[in-house]
Amino acid sequence: MNAKTKAKPISRAALSGEADPRLVALSVSIQDDGALYEEDIRGSQAHVSMLAAQGIVPKAAARRIVAALDQVCDEFAAGKIAFDPSLEDVHTHVERRLGELVGKDAGYLHAGRSRNDQVALDERLFIVRGCDRCDGALVRLMQALLAQAKAHEKTLLPGYTHLQRAQPVSLAHHLLAYVEMLGRDRERFAEVRRRAAVSPLGSGALAGTTLPLDRERTARALGLAGVTQNSLDAVSDRDSAIELSFACALASVHLSRLGEEVVLWTTREFGFMTLDDAFATGSSLMPQKKNSDVAELSRGRAARAIGDLVSLLAMVKNLPLAYNRDLQEDKRPLLDGPRALVLTLDALAGAVETATFHAEVMRAALGDGEALATDAAEYLVEKGVPFREAHEAVGKAAAFSTRAGRPLARLTAAEWASFHPRFGADVLRRFDPAESLRRRELPGAPGPKQVKAQLARWSKALRGGR
Ligand code: ARG
């Protein structure tokens, strides 16, 4: 440690001597919370301006502090602030540098404030911004999915259950399923943002302050919608961090599902999809390899996001009111969430945008009528046959088709009639997948009219985007 760090740390006024280096090593958090410098500085500027307006500190000192804090912000951005473990966290690093720039006047800043309400504010400002960043990236992936969906309105493939070919859908319908998920994610981030956007400043260490602060004024200056209503809760509440983390975890889980399908679809076995080389990776050993790491990392990242959420929940569990130092441990999972999610969303957006889908392979996977067995059963239902009876008749036909080695679509009208007397020759027309989709026009179904309406709805919702 150099000579400068020997100055008594701000928070050791009542303690003798210096902290043991082993305690310092455990306590330091600047390596994580240094990322919050901008939020911390904006919060301090709003706070000291309010103090001046309330006549608590001299106006000239407040002006000097605000200007110097702008400089500290630039220095942080340029990586010019050297981290000093004995200064612990971002708050004390900012305050110490401010002291170097404006001298004694820097001491006016912290009136009516504690690092407890300060860090709670910094996090709320970070969460608000994090929600906006995630929302923007969600929109970018949704637009990429939507563009491919528009290009593949008529591309047919089997929809799967149990990863077994089930019934025909269009690729547009399949891709729009992800757009729906991500649309819900956007709603979730908007909710998280709304609840986070209140100011805890003025809660002090836990019991407010005797100074006549104007809490609403500080909140307004920071673009926040209001102020927290219980000081004990305000300094120890991490709900918004947990909610952000949950929103990130669930969005990541959605991306892991998309990632899994990209992994499957880009295999030789499936062959539904090819990634652009710019979004594919090679092997250091096997020269022929083209890997879908982008999709695998999307799956893997979800593990990290789930872990972050669990860390935050476990950290708050059983904590007595109000602030406890355990809460410092929230930085890594909190800060990691939006960062990792945005990176994943953007990489996937690029991969989806530039991917090629192989319509003919998908069409072939539909087989020759297997995916339309349910349609044949519904044909009988339309003729007044109870569904269970229809199901059994078509089941027999399917078993016969397997035994005879002839696909369902190749059975003759006479053969169909042998499985149920209500089968007429027109049943043969039910074995066209495009025709099958045209009959599926309930709201939310994969019928072409429905899909067209959904494409229009999402185009409108995402217009302008971000
Ligand atoms: N670095 C601390 C944290 O993130 C700031 C609050 C410190 N408060 C205290 N009473 N030691 O939790």
Side-chain angles (χ1 to χ4, degrees), residues 149-285:
K150 282 182 182 161
H152 289 284
E153 255 187 277
K154 299 206 161 61
T155 302
L156 303 187
L157 76 161
Y160 290 78
T161 62
H162 314 271
L163 205 52
Q164 306 286 342
R165 293 166 183 172
Q167 292 185 321
V169 293
S170 63
L171 179 53
H173 193 61
H174 191 108
L175 295 173
L176 284 174
Y178 287 103
V179 175
E180 289 287 333
M181 290 179 224
L182 302 180
R184 290 194 297 276
D185 288 326
R186 289 190 72 196
E187 287 175 23
R188 238 177 314 271
F189 280 108
E191 269 292 292
V192 174
R193 186 190 200 286
R194 186 180 62 73
R195 266 191 295 279
V198 291
S199 172
L201 275 194
S203 302
L206 74 162
T209 168
T210 58
L211 298 171
L213 306 189
D214 182 346
R215 298 190 61 205
E216 295 283 352
R217 182 190 178 108
T218 319
R220 267 197 311 277
L222 291 166
L224 300 175
V227 300
T228 53
Q229 299 296 316
N230 182 297
S231 61
L232 291 171
D233 180 44
V235 293
S236 65
D237 165 32
R238 292 296 180 272
D239 287 8
S240 291
I242 293 169
E243 287 188 333
L244 175 69
S245 186
F246 173 69
C248 287
L250 186 47
S252 304
V253 165
H254 292 152
L255 300 186
S256 79
R257 301 184 70 180
L258 177 59
E260 169 68 1
E261 295 208 320
V262 172
V263 170
L264 283 173
W265 286 14
T266 54
T267 56
R268 190 68 77 76
E269 285 72 8
F270 259 88
F272 282 7
M273 181 180 181
T274 308
L275 289 178
D276 188 270
D277 277 359
F279 284 94
T281 36
S283 157
S284 58
L285 178 78

Side-chain angles (χ1 to χ4, degrees), residues 143-152 175 352-357:
Q143 281 169 335
L145 288 162
L146 185 64
Q148 290 285 14
K150 282 182 182 161
H152 289 284
L175 295 173
V352 167
E353 236 160 57
T354 55
T356 309
F357 292 94

Side-chain angles (χ1 to χ4, degrees), residues 27 29 33 88-91 114-116 119 123 238 323-331:
S27 311
S29 64
D33 61 25
E88 285 188 9
D89 56 26
V90 65
H91 321 296
S114 151
R115 278 189 293 163
N116 297 354
V119 71
E123 292 193 355
R238 292 296 180 272
Y323 178 83
N324 298 273
R325 191 65 181 273
D326 315 39
L327 293 173
Q328 177 167 292
E329 292 295 316
D330 67 351
K331 301 299 176 307

